Amino acid sequence: SWMNPECIAEIPYYLLWRSLGLVGIEALFLILLELLFLGLLYLCWRESGNIKASALAGYCAVFLGTVSFGPRTILFGYLYMIVLLVVLQRLRLRGTAPLWVLPPLFCLWVNTHGSWSIGLTVFGIVIASGLVSGKVGKIEAVRWTPQQLRKLMLSMGASIGAVFINPYGYRLVFWPVDVAFRQKLAIAHIAEWTSVDFHTPRGKVVLILLVGLLLGALLSPYQWKLHEVTLALFGLYTGLTYIRSLLLTG
């Protein structure tokens, strides 16, 4: 039977359409984009301390993310992803963060867009990257403190439980799996579910950015953290496999 996995995200579009028509829909789309890239700018600035480099990273993400531009529900999902990354970044940089925000975030996310499953994957990658410590070449792993790990595991457990709070129960939780493995015919005929074509203008931009990232990693004395490497690899995999995820890659 049919399910609506994006019901909460559709409500703001509907209300603004009822009050302002297409202008309202376009206004919400632009507001979501502004919030998304302002959040990305903040995330990069907190990580690097360099506003110019952060703006450059934001421009690159804009180029990669144009495939997702439009009055779409997925923009809410990417906005939630920024919130997740900001909270986890705060934990790494300051040693403490409001992890209690994440279970309500995932409860809202599962009722907003199917990208919540990617959010849980990112959450798990960040946790797993802090389970070891050591240094190999330019990659360094920093272990979570016992108190941090306990709070992270509690937050992850509560977040997993929170995704079951929806009108459809477990069926909505398994919906992303159903799309990925049982609806292959539908996915095969949707353009944004295809892999990156490096012969197109977008594909050439992706290739240039990937080469730039590789050269930067080779030539820079920057010490990579393990969670940065794993998240970068995950972002590359999702974006190169399905162009709809290129914004995540950015």
Side-chain angles (χ1 to χ4, degrees), residues 95-243:
T96 181
L99 294 175
W100 58 267
V101 170
L102 300 185
L105 176 71
F106 277 100
C107 182
L108 182 64
W109 201 341
V110 73
N111 291 284
T112 302
H113 193 266
S115 56
W116 64 268
S117 56
I118 300 178
L120 272 183
T121 303
V122 168
F123 195 2
I125 288 174
V126 172
I127 293 177
S129 299
L131 297 179
V132 295
S133 61
K135 183 177 179 182
V136 178
K138 288 188 174 184
I139 303 176
E140 180 183 12
V142 179
R143 192 188 302 270
W144 299 112
T145 67
Q147 184 180 19
Q148 289 174 333
L149 183 59
R150 183 169 61 254
K151 291 181 178 179
L152 282 167
M153 295 305 295
L154 285 173
S155 181
M156 169 63 93
S159 298
I160 293 175
V163 300
F164 286 88
I165 305 175
N166 66 79
Y168 307 101
Y170 74 92
R171 292 194 301 135
L172 185 60
V173 176
F174 288 99
W175 181 81
V177 178
D178 184 75
V179 171
F181 295 102
R182 295 184 58 192
Q183 301 184 33
K184 293 184 178 181
L185 184 62
I187 291 177
H189 289 82
I190 298 177
E192 66 176 12
W193 282 102
T194 58
S195 302
V196 173
D197 182 358
F198 291 106
H199 297 287
T200 64
R202 178 183 290 116
K204 289 181 171 61
V205 171
V206 173
L207 182 61
I208 291 172
L209 292 177
L210 291 182
V211 172
L213 179 64
L214 178 61
L215 290 177
L218 291 174
L219 301 178
S220 171
Y222 179 76
Q223 189 77 37
W224 283 74
K225 301 296 189 296
L226 180 59
H227 73 274
E228 295 171 339
V229 175
T230 51
L231 285 179
L233 291 175
F234 178 69
L236 289 172
Y237 168 76
T238 55
L240 295 178
T241 305
Y242 306 114
I243 61 172

